[in-house]
Amino acid sequence: MSTLNTPKAALRNDWQLEEVTALFELPLNELIFRAQGALRGYFDPAQIQLSTLLNIKTGACPEDCAYCPQSVRYDTGLPVEPMMQVQEVVTAAEEAKAQGATRFCMGAAWRSPKRKDFEIVLEMVKAVKGLGMETCVTLGMLTEPQVQQLKTAGLDYYNHNLDTSEAFYSQIISTRTYQDRLDTLAHVRDAQIKVCAGGIIGMGENLQDRAQLLLTLANLPAHPDSVPINQLIKVEGTPLAQAQDLDTFDMVRCIAVARILMPASYVRLSAGRTEMSDELQALCLLAGANSIFYGEKLLTTENPSLDKDRSLLKRLGLQAVQ
Ligand code: SAM
Ligand code: DTB
Ligand code: SF4
């Protein structure tokens, strides 16, 4: 039972597509009501988890992810930057901790890490862990030995998104397969590193694709511990720069369905908050999101300012998870 005496919904890995699409089709009030119930079984609804992102290596990525400003294939005007120094990363993590973040997520624009770079990432993980923060990295595909080394270095979470449904995936990325992603997630899970896996909406996918993405995540052998739901950030120069705008409530519905399918996971209202009103963000939190990226930048794009977020959390009566 949670502190508020709401029963814990069963953790299921046998969701059927019809059940998930039926959730998407519920009247919004009913969907949100059910999602709040699911949240309250496992979490204190007055608490929110804050993760800060840092891009430790920017741009020139060989992959062709159609949404991504860091792919070498698209001219987005993003300056390519070499990998950061360990000390620079530690300084950024110290700042994030001082601002109230509990998890520090380091991202790199790689298909997969090269040996020399990987050694440096291991040092970064050890150093950030040494600050008493939760550590997370997102480095692309990993082999089993690399996962073991990250585990030994003290890594808590690995972020690797499925991004969309298997059926829609080939329209977004051609340089690696859906199975590659599932394999990396399996290596991470087998090493008992916590899994952070979610996706993006607003790339032209249909409702069935969104339902299938969430179904695939929920029917993994264990639910991802953390589920980032990103709204596409349309970056000029990427193939998806002109993608159609989402309906305002699509994000709310996706978050609510993720919450119902994976009630014990942190569901993160991720990319896209700068385009959202305070009211829409509040609705996403009401629909069961209990985590955000906190810090003025995501990887290469803007995120709300710390002041704005502090004020929003205060107005909503939310406390940061310690
Ligand atoms: N290169 C690694 C990889 O792809 O696994 C790690 C970094 S990659 C940028 C991490 C995730 O950021 C992607 O899987 C995607 O879900 C998200 N992302 C990238 N560009 C985005 C955009 N324009 N809008 C929303 N999410 C985005
Ligand atoms: C995730 O799901 N979203 C974050 C994090 N994991 C690595 C990244 C969002 C990136 C948005 C585009 C950018 O800033 O480049
Ligand atoms: Fe590279 Fe990751 Fe961007 Fe894809 S999402 S282009 S793998 S940085």
Side-chain angles (χ1 to χ4, degrees):
M1 301 291 258
S2 79
T3 48
L4 298 171
N5 293 328
T6 306
K8 288 183 186 332
L11 300 183
R12 291 178 49 193
N13 302 83
D14 61 352
W15 291 95
Q16 302 298 309
L17 188 59
E18 305 74 55
E19 290 179 280
V20 182
T21 47
L23 288 172
F24 271 98
E25 283 160 5
L26 282 175
L28 192 65
N29 285 349
E30 178 62 28
L31 179 62
I32 291 179
F33 179 79
R34 291 197 200 180
Q36 259 297 313
L39 174 77
R40 283 161 181 264
Y42 289 91
F43 294 99
D44 178 347
Q47 294 227 322
I48 186 159
Q49 191 278 328
L50 306 179
S51 291
T52 295
L53 273 173
L54 179 70
N55 212 15
I56 58 170
K57 192 267 169 181
T58 302
C61 181
E63 303 284 81
D64 68 354
C65 311
Y67 48 76
C68 187
Q70 302 197 74
S71 167
V72 73
R73 298 165 197 240
Y74 317 130
D75 184 8
T76 59
L78 184 74
V80 175
E81 286 165 30
M83 190 168 171
M84 288 176 76
Q85 308 276 322
V86 177
Q87 192 46 52
E88 291 176 281
V89 173
V90 172
T91 304
E94 281 169 340
E95 263 170 45
K97 186 180 179 196
Q99 299 297 346
T102 52
R103 194 179 308 164
F104 195 67
C105 310
M106 295 160 269
W110 293 327
R111 171 178 165 80
S112 54
K114 305 225 162 44
R115 200 182 58 80
K116 258 176 97 179
D117 295 333
F118 188 67
E119 301 290 326
I120 299 170
V121 173
L122 293 175
E123 281 182 51
M124 291 173 180
V125 170
K126 280 185 208 148
V128 174
K129 184 78 184 161
L131 301 176
M133 295 186 87
E134 287 182 323
T135 50
C136 176
V137 291
T138 179
L139 315 170
M141 291 186 282
L142 294 182
T143 61
E144 279 178 83
Q146 285 174 324
V147 169
Q148 283 306 332
Q149 285 175 280
L150 285 167
K151 176 76 184 167
T152 308
L155 186 72
D156 295 298
Y157 286 82
Y158 194 75
N159 166 243
H160 199 61
N161 291 337
L162 292 180
D163 281 344
T164 190
S165 68
E166 186 165 16
F168 191 64
Y169 184 85
S170 61
Q171 296 192 39
I172 301 298
I173 298 147
S174 77
T175 47
R176 67 172 111 143
T177 66
Y178 211 69
Q179 191 58 48
D180 289 333
R181 291 190 182 244
L182 291 169
D183 290 347
T184 294
L185 290 180
H187 297 329
V188 172
R189 193 172 52 242
D190 292 349
Q192 272 141 32
I193 293 173
K194 289 182 181 153
V195 169
C196 172
I200 308 178
I201 66 166
M203 301 193 293
E205 74 289 339
N206 61 27
L207 195 143
Q208 186 94 349
D209 293 311
R210 289 179 199 161
Q212 188 61 60
L213 164 69
L214 296 180
L215 176 91
T216 306
L217 291 168
N219 285 351
L220 287 170
H223 293 168
D225 303 86
S226 196
V227 182
I229 307 291
N230 297 277
Q231 176 176 303
L232 174 72
I233 301 187
K234 297 179 213 174
V235 180
E236 214 45 62
T238 62
L240 291 175
Q242 314 304 331
Q244 233 191 331
D245 278 342
L246 276 174
D247 179 272
T248 315
F249 298 116
D250 286 354
M251 194 71 177
V252 182
R253 282 186 192 277
C254 258
I255 284 173
V257 175
R259 167 56 62 208
I260 293 167
L261 301 188
M262 296 167 276
S265 305
Y266 279 98
V267 174
R268 184 172 310 125
L269 168 56
S270 302
R273 291 196 301 114
T274 44
E275 278 93 61
M276 293 180 195
S277 66
D278 290 348
E279 293 79 6
L280 177 56
Q281 292 185 62
L283 206 48
C284 289
L285 298 172
L286 191 64
N290 61 346
S291 170
I292 54 169
F293 285 123
Y294 179 66
E296 324 242 312
K297 216 170 155 197
L298 290 166
L299 292 174
T300 67
T301 61
E302 302 281 295
N303 200 39
S305 72
L306 292 175
D307 282 350
K308 199 162 187 291
D309 273 347
R310 272 196 215 104
S311 150
L312 180 63
L313 299 189
K314 186 156 182 248
R315 287 159 67 212
L316 299 178
L318 291 171
Q319 298 285 335
V321 168
Q322 294 302 309

